[in-house]
Amino acid sequence: MCGIAGFVADPGNRTSVDQLRSIARAMDFSLEHRGPDDCGIWIDADAGVTLVHRRLSIVDLSPAGHQPMHSSDGRFVIIYNGEVYSHLSIRAEIEATGHRFQGHSDTEVILESFARYGIRETADRLIGMFAIAIWDKQKRSLTLLRDRLGIKPLYWAKIGGLFTFGSELKALRQHPGWTPRIKPEAVASFMRHNYIPAPHTIYQDVYKLEPGTVLTLDFGREPQLEKFWDARRVALDGTRNPLVGDDALLIDQLEALLVDAVGKRMMADVPLGAFLSGGIDSSTVAALMKAANAGPVRTFSIGFEQAAFNEAPHAAAIARHLGTDHTELTVTSREALEVIPKLAEIFDEPFADSSQIPTYLVSAMTRKHVTVALSGDGGDELFSGYNRYQLTRRSWRTLSLAPALARKAFAAGLTSLSAERWNAIFKNFPDDCYPQLPGDKIYKFARVLGLNNADELYRRLVSHWDPGDITPGIAEPHGVLWDETVQTDFPDLLDRMQFLDMVTYLPDDILTKVDRASMAVALEARVPLLDHRIVEMAWRLPHSVKIRRGVSKWLLRQVLYRHVPKDLVERPKMGFAVPLGEWLRGPLRQWAENLLSEKRLGETDFFEVAIVRRHWDQHLSGKHNWQYLLWDVLMFEAWRERWG
């Protein structure tokens, strides 16, 4: 796990080697947290190329793993962030030709494979997570690759004669040839999603390299983008070629793949452990690590003082059953709040998934004991774990029984009274006869009633703000969530929702959160459930083994039950939440008030200030709980204060 950066500039601009090295050092320093163990810079001033690498040593801790690394024929130079777990088989194949490696790092194997077999051919054989930059001295061309699911980040920009790239935006900011400019359309997208969907970033002319993509920059040409692994094609092929077999056979097949994926991710020359929340996904990973009999397994979890947010007892019960060496940290509100000022620096562009706080805390605690931690992320997207999948299907079946015009007329009637007026009406009834904030619930229900189809309902459930309300006058980019061909390709609603989550929410929210939070403390997080072989199998599974009699992730649960008693993991899904609404009314109130002041919000033309202030006032009064909507605005303003 490392950090990479670099740039290619027109060699005719006569930038001196000293100037290039000064820029490279600034990029290097900005990524130090991703790789505190070693650093390297390589410059070819005649070609105008500079490569920068920060190293977190995981495999082959010796100088033989140093980067930038040159191929044995001298043609290629590589910098690389990630881990490739299939390198041993590729190494054996190359050694069979008589080649002798200098060390035992996966970097050297990947580089030699690129040199011998080509970049595309090698990419198809890589199992793991990676963001790679390869410079071809002979062709004077740069190639960037990002792993299939988007586990490792990679940003790029082409501005005039300058091409620059890096693991984080802060590295690109170090080049004096680029002046950052906020992209208003990205602000609108952020307010809907609480992240900025790829390929966009918060900045004009800067992009995320999308998962499974190769970018080629040949001398004197514009960047060329091509998929080496297409999530849409994989999902389509899977749904059209379902697996056939009884339940026992499918359980065996999934367990075999999981065992191999987890085993591959236990290769390391440094201490290793696992995050354990006590849920299905993390418990499965920990159980299979234990079953590998590779020595004591270390597990890590955090808990909160508030019982409603505390999963630690469940994790501890799983750890006791498995016999892991378990470490638990109970986080106080003060400790959690101390993380908040760091978030804008850690996440580099606006990001407002509030579970970023506990993810950082568990990473920081884990890093005190190990350098690598396996995570259970990906199970919900692959095995239909999110509650919204069943909620959307059930709700639309019910809603579609009534004609659209009738539903919209009823919705108009419900919203003819204000939410506050509805609250006042319900005050005339006993407290146990209505939910908290009934006006809020009625307005949400009315919005759903007015929708035209199930896809709009899904989009509503995954949205925060409606950009038309909060960022009026700014055109929101409509990406794959609005792509009508998705409905044609995936006529089943469950397939559509899972596909859309896999190509949006998973890489742009979940994996971004895990990468930034863990790398901020130089911890490598590995995600075995997102081995692309498991992803490909999951798309071939029939719905009946994903959701059965209302039980989500049915097949994955059956694998887990072979290792952990059912009663230890059967409980409602909690998520990784914090008491955000309570904090905003309490210890975070002044911090939030400063960022949400009319003066500050009015400094830009991004937000409808009156709407933000109304939501803030209603939240403080307790009439509504707008914690997540307000967190979006707060994270944007905190980011703007640090970077804007």
Side-chain angles (χ1 to χ4, degrees), residues 253-268:
Q253 289 178 331
L254 178 58
E255 182 169 29
L257 265 183
L258 288 168
V259 166
D260 186 65
V262 170
K264 279 182 165 55
R265 284 155 183 81
M266 293 178 70
M267 293 188 296

Side-chain angles (χ1 to χ4, degrees), residues 146-429:
R146 190 179 180 201
D147 65 65
R148 296 171 180 84
L149 277 302
I151 303 169
K152 291 291 98 190
L154 193 53
Y155 296 87
W156 66 276
K158 177 73 163 60
I159 303 164
L162 171 69
F163 181 91
T164 182
F165 66 92
S167 296
E168 297 182 14
L169 286 170
K170 54 175 64 73
L172 277 65
R173 292 179 65 97
Q174 304 308 312
H175 199 291
W178 173 51
T179 301
R181 292 180 296 126
I182 293 176
K183 184 176 183 177
E185 296 85 353
V187 179
S189 284
F190 170 70
M191 298 311 291
R192 175 182 294 279
H193 300 288
N194 85 6
Y195 58 83
I196 298 172
H200 305 287
T201 72
I202 190 60
Y203 294 123
Q204 298 276 10
D205 304 316
V206 182
Y207 304 94
K208 300 178 178 82
L209 186 64
E210 294 189 86
T213 301
V214 179
L215 181 152
T216 305
L217 180 71
D218 290 321
F219 183 75
R221 296 183 60 191
E222 291 298 304
Q224 303 296 307
L225 296 168
E226 183 182 6
K227 289 282 189 182
F228 73 88
W229 190 86
D230 189 340
R232 188 165 186 159
R233 175 53 52 195
V234 167
L236 276 172
D237 289 346
T239 56
R240 292 170 180 173
N241 299 281
L243 289 171
V244 177
D246 60 21
D247 290 345
L249 177 62
L250 293 178
I251 296 168
D252 288 342
Q253 289 178 331
L254 178 58
E255 182 169 29
L257 265 183
L258 288 168
V259 166
D260 186 65
V262 170
K264 279 182 165 55
R265 284 155 183 81
M266 293 178 70
M267 293 188 296
D269 296 334
V270 293
L272 173 145
F275 298 140
L276 180 60
S277 69
I280 301 298
D281 304 335
S282 67
S283 297
T284 300
V285 170
L288 295 180
M289 290 175 71
K290 183 67 177 178
N293 293 320
V297 173
R298 300 208 62 171
T299 53
F300 302 90
S301 67
I302 63 169
F304 290 92
E305 297 168 312
Q306 297 90 338
F309 300 90
N310 187 23
E311 289 187 289
H314 305 291
I318 300 291
R320 282 193 299 271
H321 173 79
L322 294 175
T324 68
D325 180 0
H326 190 61
T327 302
E328 177 184 308
L329 172 68
T330 300
V331 179
T332 65
S333 297
R334 179 184 58 80
E335 290 170 319
L337 296 174
E338 287 174 354
V339 175
I340 292 173
K342 304 175 184 178
L343 295 176
E345 179 74 28
I346 291 170
F347 285 89
D348 225 15
E349 71 175 344
F351 184 82
D353 182 337
S354 60
S355 63
Q356 62 200 134
I357 298 171
T359 304
Y360 173 83
L361 288 166
V362 73
S363 296
M365 183 261 289
T366 301
R367 185 62 178 90
K368 295 176 182 178
H369 305 276
V370 300
T371 311
V372 177
L374 274 61
S375 170
D377 294 291
D380 287 316
E381 290 81 3
L382 298 185
F383 300 101
S384 303
Y386 288 123
N387 294 331
R388 61 175 172 264
Y389 294 155
Q390 299 192 63
L391 175 62
T392 303
R393 295 201 300 173
R394 286 197 306 266
S395 298
W396 189 250
R397 277 198 297 266
T398 302
L399 288 171
S400 60
L401 295 175
L405 287 177
R407 287 189 282 105
K408 291 181 179 183
F410 186 38
L414 290 174
T415 56
S416 63
L417 297 179
S418 69
E420 288 78 6
R421 179 60 181 153
W422 278 115
N423 289 339
I425 290 172
F426 275 90
K427 287 291 186 184
N428 297 316
F429 299 94

Side-chain angles (χ1 to χ4, degrees), residues 507-558:
D508 294 331
D509 186 309
I510 299 298
L511 296 176
T512 295
K513 174 186 67 180
V514 174
D515 175 81
R516 301 306 188 281
S518 60
M519 291 310 296
V521 294
L523 175 74
E524 175 172 298
R526 298 178 176 178
V527 280
L529 296 185
L530 292 180
D531 186 305
H532 73 276
R533 299 168 301 164
I534 296 175
V535 175
E536 290 166 0
M537 178 188 176
W539 275 107
R540 298 186 64 196
L541 293 174
H543 292 169
S544 61
V545 299
K546 291 184 176 181
I547 301 175
R548 181 170 294 185
R549 292 188 288 276
V551 176
S552 64
K553 295 193 280 197
W554 184 87
L555 190 67
L556 186 62
R557 290 172 188 266
Q558 307 318 302

Side-chain angles (χ1 to χ4, degrees), residues 60 72 86-106 108-110 112-113 116-117 125:
D60 192 349
S72 60
S86 55
H87 73 277
L88 293 179
S89 60
I90 301 172
R91 180 190 185 97
E93 181 179 312
I94 295 175
E95 285 181 329
T97 68
H99 180 81
R100 293 294 174 261
F101 287 93
Q102 300 298 308
H104 67 273
S105 72
D106 56 342
E108 188 180 2
V109 174
I110 297 166
E112 290 304 318
S113 182
R116 286 168 177 259
Y117 307 126
R125 302 180 63 186

